[in-house]
Amino acid sequence: MNVISTVKDIRTLLLTYKQKQRTIAFVPTMGKLHDGHLSLIREAKKRADIVVVSIFVNPTQFGPNEDYNQYPRDLNTDLKHCLSLKVDVVFTPSASDLYGKATHPTEIYIPTLSQLHCGQSRKTFFKGICSVVLRFFMIIQPDIAIFGEKDYQQFILLSQMVTDLFLPITMISAPIYREKNGLAMSSRNTYLSKSQLQEAAEIYTALTNAKQLFQQGETSSNVLVEQITQHIQSNTSIRIDYCVGIDYQLLTSKNHLKRNDRILFAGYLNKTRLIDNISLV
Ligand code: AMP
């Protein structure tokens, strides 16, 4: 396994694979890898000759009062996981190498979509994500990129970026990986105590109950969202940031939901931000 920390070195290495016509699948992460990340890597292994995983806590997607400094980092364990899955290349760039020397480096911004849902409380979040992922795409030039549905809005935004900029990359999404109690796996779950981990699992219970209601014929977003809100308020101390029924392609909120549409949820347990979503099928 090659562990590479500079843009120059990874370009040199990837060129040798490209000259041999090897296909490349790319899995971007912020590290502190859990089974959700590993499921993306397994998917990547199935789909391409070479798997590249990036581990980079991207400063530009964090707001000034967010957890950039506290965000969990554990490179040694991450590398062990990657080695055990036979990852070919782990890319661990520095922020200065990725963003260069300019006082105001190029930013990528998708209007409107960036301001919805997570973008309402995290104003510059998606600008930071698009700005870093486009850099990775230009450096690595993968054939395939794999993202988790856990960050559903992120996947739709990045897919639009790929379409808008004519990038020759196939975007693949992978299902949300969960703990036994239903809690969506997240690096931020390391902030939670044992009892908070149980409390946070109520998000999935609430989403699953709403999905059952949908399956029984209830299509009103208001009714489904209200049921989730009630459940969260009665069973947890989670402060809801948003809960919304959306069109699964456009991301816009809808009054009446159809098959494949989604309910997105975000909230805070103390200071820990938790997001989740469910597909209505
Ligand atoms: P992160 O390290 O949180 O930036 O996530 C890196 C990638 O892993 C993103 O595409 C996430 O959507 C994905 N991911 C994070 N958590 C999960 C999960 N529980 N199940 C599946 N994919 C996940």
Side-chain angles (χ1 to χ4, degrees), residues 2-214:
N2 290 285
V3 183
I4 293 187
S5 60
T6 69
V7 172
K8 185 168 170 276
D9 288 350
I10 197 166
R11 294 197 102 157
T12 308
L13 176 68
L14 293 181
L15 199 61
T16 64
Y17 295 133
K18 285 185 185 287
Q19 280 163 349
K20 291 180 196 150
Q21 318 275 319
R22 301 269 171 84
T23 53
I24 297 177
F26 173 46
V27 182
T29 81
M30 296 209 298
K32 187 68 191 169
L33 301 181
H34 50 66
D35 285 345
H37 295 116
L38 304 189
S39 73
L40 305 187
I41 295 173
R42 286 196 186 92
E43 194 57 43
K45 291 290 292 182
K46 283 190 227 153
R47 289 174 180 267
D49 303 325
I50 301 293
V51 172
V52 179
V53 174
S54 63
I55 297 178
F56 178 65
V57 183
N58 174 35
T60 66
Q61 73 191 64
F62 289 80
N65 299 316
E66 294 182 353
D67 57 344
Y68 174 69
N69 287 323
Q70 297 83 48
Y71 196 85
R73 291 160 172 90
D74 187 356
L75 185 60
N76 282 340
T77 311
D78 290 348
L79 292 178
K80 281 183 196 147
H81 285 309
C82 289
L83 194 63
S84 73
L85 290 184
K86 299 192 166 60
V87 167
D88 300 278
V89 184
V90 179
F91 185 37
T92 59
S94 66
S96 57
D97 201 10
L98 265 192
Y99 285 101
K101 292 198 173 73
T103 320
H104 300 290
T106 301
E107 294 177 334
I108 305 296
Y109 174 71
I110 301 177
T112 309
L113 279 192
S114 295
Q115 294 305 307
L116 297 175
H117 318 313
C118 277
Q120 287 211 333
S121 48
R122 307 185 78 189
K123 296 285 179 211
T124 55
F125 178 56
F126 288 113
K127 186 162 70 181
I129 290 196
C130 290
S131 298
V132 77
V133 172
L134 183 63
R135 280 171 170 78
F136 279 128
F137 282 175
M138 300 313 287
I139 295 163
I140 294 164
Q141 307 200 0
D143 300 280
I144 295 168
I146 306 189
F147 295 85
E149 286 172 9
K150 158 105 186 328
D151 301 271
Y152 191 75
Q153 186 176 4
Q154 163 179 285
F155 177 71
I156 299 294
L157 254 107
L158 291 173
S159 299
Q160 185 185 323
M161 180 182 83
V162 162
T163 304
D164 289 352
L165 301 181
F166 305 100
L167 302 179
I169 299 171
T170 303
M171 295 285 287
I172 306 285
S173 69
I176 302 173
Y177 224 78
R178 298 181 180 281
E179 303 287 352
K180 280 204 181 74
N181 66 9
L183 174 62
M185 288 190 181
S186 163
S187 307
R188 286 197 171 93
N189 290 352
T190 55
Y191 296 144
L192 303 178
S193 68
K194 238 180 173 179
S195 65
Q196 286 176 322
L197 288 167
Q198 274 309 114
E199 209 179 326
E202 293 299 329
I203 297 170
Y204 183 59
T205 308
L207 291 174
T208 314
N209 290 346
K211 178 173 164 172
Q212 271 170 15
L213 213 58
F214 174 81

Side-chain angles (χ1 to χ4, degrees), residues 240-253:
I240 297 176
D241 179 31
Y242 67 80
C243 181
V244 62
I246 58 149
D247 181 288
Y248 76 105
Q249 289 166 312
L250 302 175
L251 283 180
T252 45
S253 59

